[in-house]
Amino acid sequence: MFTQESFKVFDITGLDERMEAIREKIQPIFKELDERIKKELEKELNETLFIHLAQHRRRSVYPPANTWSALSNNKRGYKMTPHFQLGIWPEYVFMYLSIIDQPPKKEQMADLLLQNSLLLTQLPVDTVMNTDHTKDNYEYIAQANVKQALERLKNVKKGELQVGRIITRDSELWQEPEQALEYMLATYRCLVPCYQLLQF
């Protein structure tokens, strides 16, 4: 499970040094948690999921500001379809259903979500959404303009949507790893109807 040491990885300066710490201190946690999450989601979805770890290969100077893993039904990659993400920024861990990096049929996905927006607005009150995966800006869905976010997803080339929940760095959940895992699993279960809607 993530600990305070996990968050401290982002205090490390230098691309190579931070990437080494990500590989040594964060990616093993991703793998362990994703195996548990994968097993749970495969039962819910009745399909095979594949674990992908962000490699940050395009970076040549600046160290990554965050890192993540993905569960996708595509063995070759994850960005071309809606997928589940588990990731960490310096101040929180996130559990998201993600539509990022201009996947095919993005406009149709946005239309489906616009037509079925209750699937989003009726998510738990501590659900958050983010419209740019490169920034750690999120807002709680109760206060968010969901329609505006979905229209942006549809009409803006770089429009994105991530929806799910976060666990902040100072959360007491980290003192109870099994409770933290159950919160993560519950989050992904809540997102299953949205994920299933987007499978076409």
Side-chain angles (χ1 to χ4, degrees):
M1 183 52 71
F2 299 103
T3 68
Q4 292 307 306
E5 292 302 311
S6 308
F7 296 101
K8 289 178 183 175
V9 162
F10 298 100
D11 295 335
I12 297 170
T13 55
L15 173 61
D16 293 341
E17 294 81 0
R18 190 177 300 179
M19 280 307 307
E20 183 179 356
I22 285 172
R23 284 189 286 267
E24 288 182 2
K25 296 184 178 180
I26 294 180
Q27 289 186 350
I29 300 171
F30 283 158
K31 289 176 184 175
E32 183 178 344
L33 292 174
D34 279 332
E35 286 294 347
R36 303 272 299 268
I37 296 163
K38 176 180 184 290
K39 187 175 179 182
E40 184 77 18
L41 284 175
E42 285 180 339
K43 285 190 292 186
E44 295 262 344
L45 298 168
N46 196 29
E47 69 176 10
T48 301
L49 296 174
F50 301 92
I51 298 171
H52 303 272
L53 299 176
Q55 300 298 325
H56 308 288
R57 287 198 182 99
R58 293 181 186 172
R59 292 186 170 271
S60 57
V61 179
Y62 300 107
N66 70 332
T67 191
W68 63 90
S69 61
L71 285 167
S72 167
N73 59 11
N74 189 319
K75 189 174 183 177
R76 297 178 62 188
Y78 59 93
K79 293 182 179 179
M80 61 283 294
T81 59
H83 57 276
F84 299 99
Q85 279 191 5
L86 173 64
I88 181 170
W89 285 92
E91 296 303 325
Y92 60 89
V93 165
F94 62 82
M95 299 78 66
Y96 285 154
L97 174 63
S98 294
I99 302 170
I100 62 170
D101 282 345
Q102 303 167 50
K105 302 181 182 177
K106 180 170 76 79
E107 292 79 10
Q108 294 97 310
M109 292 181 212
D111 273 334
L112 276 171
L113 289 169
L114 280 163
Q115 292 160 22
N116 297 273
S117 59
L118 280 177
L119 286 178
L120 294 175
T121 56
Q122 291 184 348
L123 287 166
V125 292
D126 57 348
T127 300
V128 302
M129 63 188 300
N130 182 358
T131 57
D132 184 343
H133 83 279
T134 67
K135 297 178 181 175
D136 65 348
N137 300 333
Y138 64 83
E139 55 184 334
Y140 286 94
I141 205 153
Q143 284 85 43
N145 189 329
V146 174
K147 185 172 184 284
Q148 184 180 54
L150 293 175
E151 287 176 345
R152 184 179 189 279
L153 176 68
K154 178 180 178 179
N155 298 317
V156 176
K157 185 178 180 183
K158 291 191 174 182
E160 297 184 334
L161 181 71
Q162 295 186 299
V163 60
R165 295 199 288 196
I166 65 165
I167 307 176
T168 58
R169 180 175 183 160
D170 59 2
S171 171
E172 293 182 1
L173 272 178
W174 303 125
Q175 310 303 319
E176 304 289 344
E178 282 303 314
Q179 286 185 29
L181 176 60
E182 185 48 48
Y183 185 77
M184 292 175 179
L185 291 172
T187 299
Y188 291 118
R189 286 189 208 107
C190 288
L191 296 169
V192 162
C194 290
Y195 174 86
Q196 290 176 316
L197 176 72
L198 300 174
Q199 304 304 306
F200 57 89

